[in-house]
């Protein structure tokens, strides 16, 4: 029999559980009942009514002054049967006769009341005159309530505050005495539906992490050869790349309990709570081993120690980290428990946390490339009603640098845009609008721009488009608009080639293309404006990176001042003043040379640029096809596009083979039936 469903009462009812708090409630109700059961009905009155209707008619038996504050009036028994005294003639409960007091009122002062009472009875005989009685009473029950109720109120407030501080949702933190319990959410193996099939892209990361799944499924396979199961795996990558999803897929594939919590769940205002929660977490995980503990945003508690010496450091956070280090690789063993963690700030983590023996595997979950983006689009487009002409290759090509979360957002935004336009299916243009909205923001067609400013913006964007189209290594243009979006007055969309390495020529071409806007302003108008602010910011950072980080300057040489550890202070520079001057000189030279090259490209194609600027002023938005009409087809093709075409051809061939095999099998089945 299950003890949890058994009643504490004799012959207990199934599902009924007695609470000790009910006894307190019954006692309270009992005392309240004693106070009110059998009490007399006393009605409030005043001096005038008392004098005219009771005293002058000689119906008053006696008057009792209590605590020098109130006068209680007792009516003679023989008059209680009258209609005017019907309300006060009976007790509260039952039909028993109310012996009094029947009426009361505030007297003000005793002397004044006594004088008024004497004056009212001047004409009365001595036998008929009434003299007041004086009593002093103590309200014990009222006094008890007077100090019990405030005390109960403060206790309730204290319990409420402590409960809120302990955390309301999840784990033992929801109870005041369980504040040191873990807040980790246990997802049972039966509830985990995510597998590797649901994780598109991330092929490299999935390949690495598959081993962990194999460890959890069959640990004896490795331990019998003397190997040790890894203690942990650290997922490192930019936001939105699918680190949390990958951890869930591991738990789903391995069919083991999955403890999920955030790094901030350990942090509390009370000293020692974080360390206590770490201990409790590993204790619970060990009880359900084999199990996975997943700590998201581990940099909240895993930052390098000793960095806050000036402010006295956060001892509570460091204590939590120390406990985590001990639990992961200390004297205690946690067999069958694998810790997975995710962060996008691996550079700030403590070295003791990332060493082998704690996080044995460091898995980099990078932004998806072209082929991975195609796979992610295929997953997120399944629930969306697409147009028959939709090309997934096109969508993957249009979203360079997008994470998995960004792609999911694009698909959702495209569906919303299509629904807003009352379409039955999501079309190609809806996806393009979604990308534009996510990157550039909402269109501001109502913004007031003068004709001169509009012309300057048009030629500025035409300059960018022309230079990028004419240079081999510059990113090819997709779309140009002079409609204001967000903070920008105009925008140009490019499709950068996804490179693993970047040469000097490629960086110079990109700088030249970015300078094309300002160069066009000088060539066609003879003046420059502030519209090139973002372009100048971009090219300045690129030029300084070339000279001081990548060693792409002959004058400075093969030197890099890049600090990958993040230990370098911003107050000091790792080079002399002479070297700083040389770096500044080289940056200025690179920028001026590329600016001059951009002007030369625009001057040699002046007629075509003017035609492009005029068309942009007219249409406000132009696309790649418009540039091909004016400048001709671009000479250089992208390697990624060739790979996509190759993959599509291979898929089409495999589909044809599969269909042929199905047809052959059906023919064989029919021949067998005929023979029978």
């Amino acid at each position: 029999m299950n003890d949890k469903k058994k009643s504490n009462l004799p012959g207990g009812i199934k599902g009924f559980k007695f609470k000790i708090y009910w006894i307190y409630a019954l006692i309270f109700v009992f005392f309240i009942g004693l106070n009110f059961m059998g009490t007399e009905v006393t009605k409030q009155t005043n001096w005038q009514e008392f004098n005219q209707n009771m005293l002058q008619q000689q119906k008053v038996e006696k008057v009792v002054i209590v605590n020098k504050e109130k006068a209680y009036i007792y009516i003679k028994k023989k008059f209680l049967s009258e209609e005017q005294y019907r309300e006060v003639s009976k007790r509260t409960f039952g039909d028993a006769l109310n012996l009094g007091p029947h009426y009361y009122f505030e007297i003000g002062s005793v002397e004044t009341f006594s004088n008024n009472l004497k004056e009212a009875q001047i004409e009365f005989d001595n036998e008929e005159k009434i003299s007041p009685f004086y009593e002093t009473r103590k309200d014990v029950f009222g006094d008890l309530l007077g100090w019990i109720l405030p005390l109960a109120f403060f206790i309730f407030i204290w319990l409420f505050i402590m409960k809120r501080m302990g955390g309301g949702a999840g784990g033992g933190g929801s109870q005041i005495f369980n504040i040191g319990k873990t807040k980790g959410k246990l997802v049972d193996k039966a509830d985990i539906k995510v597998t590797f099939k649901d994780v598109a892209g991330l092929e490299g990361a999935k390949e690495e992490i598959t081993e962990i799944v194999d460890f959890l499924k069959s640990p004896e396979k490795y331990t019998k050869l003397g190997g040790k199961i890894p203690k942990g795996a650290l997922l490192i990558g930019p936001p939105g790349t699918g680190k949390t999803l990958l951890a869930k897929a591991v738990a789903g594939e391995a069919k083991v309990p999955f403890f999920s919590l955030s790094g901030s769940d350990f942090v509390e205002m009370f000293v020692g709570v974080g360390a206590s929660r770490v201990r409790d977490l590993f204790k619970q995980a060990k009880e359900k081993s084999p199990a996975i503990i997943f700590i998201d945003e581990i940099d909240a508690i895993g930052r390098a120690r000793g960095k806050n010496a000036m402010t006295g450091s956060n001892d509570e956070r460091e204590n939590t980290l120390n406990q985590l280090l001990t639990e992961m690789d200390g004297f205690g063993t946690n067999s069958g428990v694998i810790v997975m963690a995710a962060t996008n700030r691996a550079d700030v983590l403590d070295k003791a946390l990332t060493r082998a023996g704690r996080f044995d595997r460091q898995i980099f979950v990078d932004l998806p490339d072209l082929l991975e983006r195609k796979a992610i689009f295929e997953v997120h487009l399944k629930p969306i009603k697409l147009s028959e002409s939709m090309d997934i290759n096109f969508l993957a090509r249009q979203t360079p640098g997008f994470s998995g979360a960004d792609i999911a957002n694009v698909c959702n935004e495209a569906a919303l845009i299509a629904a807003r336009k009352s379409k039955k299916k999501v079309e190609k243009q809806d996806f393009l609008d979604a990308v534009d909205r996510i990157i550039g923001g909402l269109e501001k067609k109502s913004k007031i721009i003068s004709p001169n400013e509009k012309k300057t913006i048009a030629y500025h964007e035409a300059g960018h488009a022309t230079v990028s189209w004419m240079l081999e290594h510059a990113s090819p243009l997709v779309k140009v608009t002079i409609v204001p979006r967000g903070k920008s007055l105009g925008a140009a969309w490019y499709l950068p080639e996804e490179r693993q390495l970047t040469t000097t020529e490629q960086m110079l071409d990109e700088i030249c293309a970015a300078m094309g806007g300002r160069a066009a302003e000088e060539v066609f108008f003879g003046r420059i404006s502030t519209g090139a602010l973002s372009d100048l910011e971009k090219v300045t950072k690129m030029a300084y990176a070339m000279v001081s980080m990548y060693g792409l300057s002959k004058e400075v040489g093969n030197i890099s001042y890049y600090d990958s550890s993040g230990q370098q202070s911003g107050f000091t520079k790792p080079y002399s003043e002479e070297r700083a001057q040389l770096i500044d000189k080289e940056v200025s030279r690179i920028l001026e040379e590329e600016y001059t090259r951009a002007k030369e490209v625009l001057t040699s194609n002046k007629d075509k640029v003017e035609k492009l600027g005029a068309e942009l002023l007219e249409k406000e938005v132009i696309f790649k096809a418009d540039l091909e009409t004016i400048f001709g087809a671009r000479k250089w093709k992208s390697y990624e596009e060739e790979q996509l075409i190759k993959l599509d051809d291979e898929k089409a061939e495999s589909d044809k083979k599969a269909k042929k095999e199905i047809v052959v099998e059906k023919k064989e089945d029919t021949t067998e039936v005929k023979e029978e």
Side-chain angles (χ1 to χ4, degrees):
M1 185 181 282
N2 192 355
D3 294 336
K4 290 183 179 178
K5 293 183 179 180
K6 192 176 178 182
S7 172
N8 293 341
L9 296 175
I13 303 167
K14 191 176 180 181
F16 180 83
K17 193 171 182 180
F18 186 75
K19 303 286 187 181
I20 190 68
Y21 303 106
W22 296 355
I23 297 176
Y24 302 142
L26 289 171
I27 293 171
F28 184 76
V29 171
F30 176 73
F31 280 109
I32 293 291
L34 284 180
N35 189 58
F36 289 102
M37 285 290 290
T39 58
E40 297 82 2
V41 176
T42 307
K43 191 178 178 182
Q44 189 175 8
T45 184
N46 53 49
W47 167 258
Q48 287 78 12
E49 188 177 347
F50 162 71
N51 185 29
Q52 293 174 8
N53 300 333
M54 302 174 203
L55 186 63
Q56 297 300 327
Q57 296 178 16
Q58 296 182 357
K59 295 179 180 180
V60 179
E61 184 177 350
K62 64 177 178 178
V63 176
V64 179
I65 308 296
V66 178
N67 297 334
K68 300 180 180 180
E69 295 176 352
K70 292 181 180 179
Y72 289 88
I73 295 94
Y74 292 76
I75 304 297
K76 294 177 180 178
K77 288 183 183 180
K78 61 182 180 181
F79 297 111
L80 289 174
S81 58
E82 295 180 4
E83 183 66 24
Q84 61 179 339
Y85 303 120
R86 189 178 64 179
E87 294 180 1
V88 298
S89 62
K90 304 287 181 156
R91 290 176 179 263
T92 308
F93 300 98
D95 294 329
L97 190 67
N98 183 12
L99 300 177
H102 302 101
Y103 296 92
Y104 77 95
F105 61 90
E106 302 283 342
I107 63 172
S109 71
V110 177
E111 292 180 4
T112 305
F113 178 77
S114 299
N115 294 330
N116 292 338
L117 190 63
K118 286 178 182 179
E119 289 178 5
Q121 300 181 98
I122 291 175
E123 298 180 357
F124 287 15
D125 296 334
N126 290 330
E127 300 86 28
E128 298 172 346
K129 288 183 180 179
I130 297 172
S131 299
F133 296 90
Y134 297 91
E135 290 184 9
T136 303
R137 298 178 186 174
K138 289 186 179 180
D139 188 4
V140 179
F141 188 77
D143 293 341
L144 282 172
L145 287 180
W147 67 267
I148 288 175
L149 286 178
L151 182 63
F153 175 75
F154 284 116
I155 291 173
F156 173 78
I157 294 294
W158 181 72
L159 289 171
F160 178 77
I161 292 172
M162 295 299 288
K163 184 177 180 180
R164 297 293 295 179
M165 289 192 298
S174 60
Q175 302 294 328
I176 178 176
F177 298 110
N178 292 335
I179 195 168
K181 301 292 182 182
T182 179
K183 298 174 76 175
K185 182 183 178 183
L186 174 61
V187 183
D188 200 69
K189 54 187 177 184
D191 299 328
I192 301 173
K193 308 296 183 184
V194 182
T195 61
F196 284 149
K197 293 180 181 178
D198 303 307
V199 183
L202 309 178
E203 298 302 328
K206 280 197 288 188
E207 189 176 340
E208 283 193 63
I209 214 164
T210 304
E211 291 186 15
I212 294 175
V213 176
D214 207 18
F215 289 144
L216 292 168
K217 282 184 176 179
S218 53
E220 299 85 7
K221 179 182 174 183
Y222 301 92
T223 54
K224 70 180 181 182
L225 297 175
K228 293 182 180 178
I229 296 174
K231 294 287 183 66
L234 183 62
L235 302 174
I236 303 169
T241 50
K243 298 184 292 293
T244 307
L245 185 65
L246 194 59
K248 287 182 181 178
V250 171
E253 289 284 340
K255 300 294 181 185
V256 297
F258 183 75
F259 290 87
S260 174
L261 71 166
S262 172
S264 60
D265 290 336
F266 295 105
V267 182
E268 198 62 73
M269 65 179 290
F270 302 109
V271 177
V273 170
S276 176
R277 286 178 178 175
V278 171
R279 286 191 294 271
D280 188 64
L281 174 65
F282 278 85
K283 180 184 175 184
Q284 291 188 29
K286 194 176 179 181
E287 289 172 356
K288 293 184 178 289
S289 65
I292 293 176
I293 295 174
F294 177 63
I295 306 173
D296 203 5
E297 308 296 344
I298 197 173
D299 51 278
I301 58 167
R303 288 178 177 267
R305 293 164 291 180
K307 289 286 187 73
N308 299 324
M310 294 177 66
T311 59
S313 79
N314 189 343
D315 292 330
E316 174 61 14
R317 181 181 57 78
E318 291 191 1
N319 290 339
T320 306
L321 176 58
N322 290 337
Q323 187 63 45
L324 181 62
L325 296 175
T326 305
E327 292 289 343
M328 288 188 70
D329 189 23
F331 285 102
T333 58
N334 292 300
S335 58
V337 179
I338 291 180
V339 182
M340 294 184 68
T343 182
N344 49 31
R345 295 291 312 278
D347 55 314
V348 302
L349 293 179
D350 196 279
K351 300 297 180 187
L353 188 64
T354 55
R355 73 159 176 84
R358 290 195 174 101
F359 285 112
D360 304 276
R361 305 289 175 87
Q362 292 192 19
I363 302 169
F364 291 91
V365 185
D366 210 348
L367 290 170
D369 57 20
L370 185 67
L371 302 178
E372 289 176 340
R373 288 201 303 274
K374 182 184 177 183
I376 295 169
F377 265 113
E378 288 174 349
V379 170
H380 290 296
L381 290 176
K382 284 180 182 177
I384 296 175
K385 295 181 180 179
L386 295 175
S387 171
E388 289 78 8
S389 61
M390 181 56 65
D391 184 13
I392 298 179
N393 289 347
F394 174 78
L395 297 178
R397 188 77 183 94
Q398 292 291 317
T399 51
F402 278 47
S403 66
D406 294 331
I407 292 171
N409 192 21
V410 167
C411 296
N412 185 59
E413 194 68 39
L416 295 177
I417 290 170
R420 203 177 294 127
K421 296 177 181 177
S422 302
K423 294 182 179 179
K424 294 185 178 179
K425 291 185 178 180
V426 186
E427 299 173 352
K428 176 181 174 182
Q429 188 59 44
D430 300 321
F431 282 94
L432 291 174
D433 293 342
V435 172
D436 294 349
R437 183 168 181 175
I438 291 169
I439 295 174
L442 285 170
E443 288 186 349
K444 296 181 179 178
K445 293 184 178 181
S446 60
K447 198 168 213 176
I448 300 171
I449 301 173
S450 67
N452 289 333
E453 286 179 337
K454 197 170 184 179
K455 190 176 180 181
T456 303
I457 296 166
Y459 276 81
H460 181 104
E461 300 300 335
H464 283 306
T466 303
V467 177
S468 65
W469 195 263
M470 293 297 174
L471 299 180
E472 180 181 357
H473 303 296
S475 302
L477 189 94
V478 175
K479 175 183 176 181
V480 185
T481 178
I482 58 172
V483 179
R485 281 183 178 270
K487 294 182 179 180
S488 61
L489 298 174
W493 279 263
Y494 304 92
L495 284 182
E497 189 176 348
E498 296 175 55
R499 315 183 185 106
Q500 305 302 319
L501 297 172
T502 305
T503 63
T504 308
E505 291 76 19
Q506 288 168 344
M507 293 194 76
L508 291 175
D509 281 2
E510 287 181 12
I511 292 173
C512 186
M515 300 288 275
R518 170 160 283 196
E521 292 181 21
E522 186 175 343
V523 169
F524 291 96
F525 302 108
R527 63 181 185 274
I528 56 177
S529 68
T530 58
L533 175 61
S534 59
D535 302 327
L536 294 175
E537 183 185 3
K538 176 185 173 183
V539 298
T540 304
K541 287 180 179 178
M542 289 179 68
Y544 270 107
M546 286 179 65
V547 176
S548 62
M549 288 172 57
Y550 301 122
L552 299 179
S553 171
K554 292 181 180 179
E555 293 293 327
V556 178
N558 301 320
I559 295 175
S560 177
Y561 297 108
Y562 176 67
D563 180 31
S564 60
S565 64
Q567 302 293 324
Q568 186 177 307
S569 173
F571 298 103
T572 58
K573 294 180 180 178
Y575 44 80
S576 63
E577 287 295 325
E578 290 80 8
R579 180 54 59 101
Q581 291 178 7
L582 181 60
I583 291 171
D584 292 341
K585 187 177 177 182
E586 272 296 288
V587 168
S588 297
R589 181 188 65 79
I590 291 170
L591 296 180
E592 289 303 319
E593 285 181 0
E594 296 309 313
Y595 183 65
T596 304
R597 185 155 73 106
K599 288 196 291 186
E600 290 173 358
V601 172
L602 292 171
T603 305
S604 59
N605 297 276
K606 198 169 184 179
D607 296 338
K608 294 178 180 178
V609 179
E610 286 180 343
K611 189 177 179 181
L612 182 63
E615 194 167 346
L616 194 55
L617 278 169
E618 183 184 349
K619 296 182 179 178
E620 289 191 337
V621 180
I622 59 172
F623 298 92
K624 182 181 177 181
D626 299 311
L627 267 75
E628 289 178 345
T629 306
I630 297 172
F631 296 101
R634 204 164 184 264
K635 301 176 184 178
W636 308 279
K637 290 184 179 180
S638 171
Y639 173 73
E640 286 88 354
E641 288 181 348
E642 295 175 0
Q643 289 292 107
L644 283 174
I645 294 167
K646 185 180 176 182
L647 282 173
D648 285 344
D649 293 339
E650 291 176 358
K651 188 179 179 183
E653 287 180 9
S654 64
D655 290 341
K656 284 181 182 179
K657 287 180 181 179
K659 286 180 181 178
K660 285 180 181 179
E661 290 175 359
I662 292 168
V663 171
V664 171
E665 287 178 0
K666 285 183 177 179
K667 285 182 179 179
E668 290 176 354
D669 293 338
T670 53
T671 53
E672 288 176 1
V673 170
K674 286 178 181 179
E675 287 175 0
E676 289 176 358

